[in-house]
Amino acid sequence: MARARNIKPGFFANEHLAECDPLARILFAGLWCLADRSGRLEDRPKRIRAELLPYDSCDAGALLDQLQEHGFVLRYSRDGKQFIQVLNFNKHQNPHVKEAASSIPDPFEAEQAPGEDGIATEPDSDEHSTSTVQAPDQSDTNPADSLSLDSLIPDSLIPDPVTPQPPEGECAAVEGETDVLFANFWKLYPRKTDKAKAQKAWAKLNPDRPLFEKIMRGLGNHCASRDWIKDDGQFIPHPTTWLNGKRWEDEVRPAGTIHQFPGQSRHTDFDKRDYTAGLTQREDGTYAF
């Protein structure tokens, strides 16, 4: 039975998902509705096509292969049956508390079968099986459909690579997010100099979401300030200097409503100036101090 799920604005701008066919993208969103609360469902391409793409002539199996190739789903087998795991499902969905628990085997728990000597052995690998991937994170405490900063970052729905990840709580667990946040900062910073040094300064700060938002608000204020607008931006500091100095905390002077456009002379309104102000007029009509 299909279920109501959430979709974030970042879904539509995801560059990795854009490499899949349009029908594969629709299918990916539809899989959320068919998946159980753990993001799993039976791998039955014909039935999936009938449920999600009933009016389109397509090969649902090939579309699923595309999604797996780009790291959005995992197709695997257990006890001779085929299943699908939507990767990072619980990072982007918040199932209802009364939704039934998954009855489908977890692909991230190694399957064991008794051998001829009665000792459990690892299963033979096949086309869709795996035992080297860490399980997705548990459901977030925040509502999945809240308009958080995730919604504004185009790559927020990119799944983690299908490789073992460090334990939760270690610094390495946020490296991917740190890179994404830096990419957004770099895109908006007007003076792009020494990116490698700037990235090191950013990594040293290792900003969480509240600090990131504060940095970006400060950057927006600086971009609209007099000092950064005048003289074609020659007074904009290097990004590394700006980050190391925590310049987002500076008070800035807004540019105001008067702007000088390129090619516009500063020497104007001579006819409106009072050149006799402060002078004494002589009898012959001349002026003196």
Side-chain angles (χ1 to χ4, degrees):
M1 181 180 66
R3 305 163 178 87
R5 300 301 189 197
N6 303 289
I7 188 168
K8 294 181 179 180
F11 173 90
F12 303 100
N14 188 303
E15 294 180 356
H16 288 244
L17 189 59
E19 296 179 4
C20 300
D21 293 340
L23 286 179
R25 303 176 212 169
I26 298 175
L27 185 73
F28 180 47
L31 292 178
W32 304 342
C33 299
L34 296 182
D36 59 27
R37 67 174 298 116
S38 295
R40 302 173 200 144
L41 67 154
E42 294 183 38
D43 190 349
R44 300 171 63 180
K46 291 183 178 179
R47 182 167 182 175
I48 290 174
R49 174 184 171 276
E51 291 270 4
L52 303 179
L53 301 170
Y55 306 114
D56 297 285
S57 177
C58 61
D59 183 349
L63 299 179
L64 290 169
D65 285 340
Q66 286 188 38
L67 294 174
Q68 177 168 254
E69 179 183 351
H70 289 85
F72 291 96
V73 303
L74 174 67
R75 305 179 74 181
Y76 65 102
S77 64
R78 285 291 185 272
D79 299 326
K81 296 181 180 179
Q82 305 297 321
F83 302 103
I84 297 172
Q85 171 72 62
V86 179
L87 298 176
N88 289 330
F89 179 82
N90 286 330
K91 286 187 177 180
H92 306 290
Q93 300 297 329
N94 193 23
H96 194 277
V97 292
K98 294 186 177 180
E99 190 171 320
S102 177
S103 60
I104 296 177
D106 188 339
F108 307 105
E109 293 181 357
E111 180 184 16
Q112 295 188 356
E116 295 180 356
D117 54 0
I119 301 176
T121 58
E122 294 293 335
D124 294 332
S125 59
D126 56 39
E127 180 181 3
H128 301 310
S129 65
T130 182
S131 61
T132 61
V133 190
Q134 180 176 330
D137 293 347
Q138 296 302 314
S139 181
D140 222 339
T141 54
N142 297 323
D145 58 345
S146 60
L147 187 58
S148 64
L149 197 62
D150 284 347
S151 305
L152 307 180
I153 299 178
D155 293 335
S156 63
L157 289 180
I158 295 178
D160 291 339
V162 187
T163 54
Q165 300 296 316
E168 184 177 357
E170 292 188 6
C171 294
V174 297
E175 286 182 356
E177 183 180 26
T178 300
D179 292 342
V180 170
L181 298 182
F182 175 77
N184 281 267
F185 166 80
W186 185 257
K187 182 178 181 181
L188 296 178
Y189 199 86
R191 185 170 186 175
K192 293 174 171 49
T193 306
D194 284 337
K195 182 177 181 180
K197 290 184 178 179
Q199 195 158 15
K200 288 182 180 179
W202 185 271
K204 185 177 179 180
L205 287 171
N206 193 22
D208 55 14
R209 290 309 177 89
L211 179 56
F212 173 74
E213 293 175 0
K214 187 175 181 180
I215 291 173
M216 299 306 288
R217 283 195 297 269
L219 178 58
N221 292 335
H222 277 266
C223 288
S225 67
R226 296 180 185 179
D227 292 339
W228 283 27
I229 289 177
K230 68 181 181 181
D231 297 330
D232 199 24
Q234 66 172 332
F235 296 105
I236 299 174
H238 288 202
T240 306
T241 302
W242 195 82
L243 290 171
N244 287 335
K246 298 184 178 181
R247 302 292 298 274
W248 62 86
E249 297 179 349
D250 292 355
E251 294 185 8
V252 297
R253 297 180 301 168
T257 57
I258 300 177
H259 300 279
Q260 179 184 342
F261 298 95
Q264 178 183 357
S265 174
R266 302 178 185 176
H267 306 292
T268 57
D269 299 330
F270 289 105
D271 58 327
K272 298 179 182 179
R273 298 184 182 183
D274 183 5
Y275 292 97
T276 63
L279 302 179
T280 303
Q281 188 175 14
R282 300 190 181 109
E283 292 182 356
D284 60 357
T286 61
Y287 290 86
F289 289 99

